Amino acid sequence: MAAILQVNQLCVDYGNIHALKGISFLVNEGEIVTLIGANGAGKSTTLNTIAGLLKKASGSVTFLDADLSHVPTHKIVPRGLALVPEGRRVFLQMTVKENLEMGAYARGGDTIAQGLERAYALFPRLKERRTQVAGTLSGGEQQMLAMGRALMSNPQLLMLDEPSMGLAPILVDQIFEIIQNLHKSGVTILLVEQNAQAALSVADRGYVLETGKLVASGTGAELLASPAIKKAYLGG
């Protein structure tokens, strides 16, 4: 498998705080790779830096063999990389359909209709609610909308930041089922998730972040079986 994303010795600072301390990892085409760790470990910082929302202090991010170091955020999405941000951040005053169409701004043309068709097939609830204002949706529906909006750009890599945050257990199961279905449809996924059990259960591989450093890696099954990981993140 070819690496679609390579992060090499990435360092990010918030003033005097070293948020990321030289982390390196890769995502191969067709994989689900997860980053797990406690609050403040640097998981969201990693995704936001890859997406160009945060500036790195040093290191490199290579996507599809191109260095993203000096590529502005609005030009990263058309290259095939999309982020579903923590907290969903849908446009609350716009309808479901309008939110989805915003996700295709970098594509345009008749591809919008194709994107809507795909989003509605993946998320039938969104089709039912397509004329409804996004601010009136439930948390789970807003998460589906955020994921559908990101998929409108037809990304080769989809980054998900805490998709289960704040959702009831039954909705968490539903979101992870959707993630698996996306994977089966050929989408490569980089998943940041505090629910380590759920994340590792669907991941091909995982990395463990602690205070800005990668301290463990392995297949999802290996990390699930690790006594140290169980003790620290799985309540075992």
Side-chain angles (χ1 to χ4, degrees), residues 153-232:
S153 66
N154 196 28
Q156 295 191 54
L157 175 63
L158 179 66
M159 301 195 299
L160 300 170
D161 194 355
E162 302 283 8
S164 76
M165 180 180 284
L167 300 183
I170 190 168
L171 288 174
V172 172
D173 293 342
Q174 194 173 352
I175 289 297
F176 275 92
E177 186 178 333
I178 290 167
I179 290 170
Q180 289 178 292
N181 289 337
L182 287 174
H183 180 233
K184 288 174 186 173
S185 74
V187 180
T188 304
I189 295 170
L190 177 57
L191 169 65
V192 155
E193 178 58 58
Q194 206 166 344
N195 186 335
Q197 177 79 43
L200 292 172
S201 295
V202 302
D204 296 295
R205 294 186 302 109
Y207 296 88
V208 182
L209 264 173
E210 284 184 9
T211 58
K213 292 182 179 180
L214 287 176
V215 296
S217 65
T219 66
E222 287 169 348
L223 292 173
L224 275 173
S226 162
I229 300 302
K230 282 183 179 179
K231 184 177 180 181

Side-chain angles (χ1 to χ4, degrees), residues 37-55:
N39 271 336
K43 306 185 301 296
S44 294
T45 296
T46 301
L47 293 196
N48 287 331
T49 305
I50 292 169
L53 297 169
L54 292 174
K55 287 187 177 181

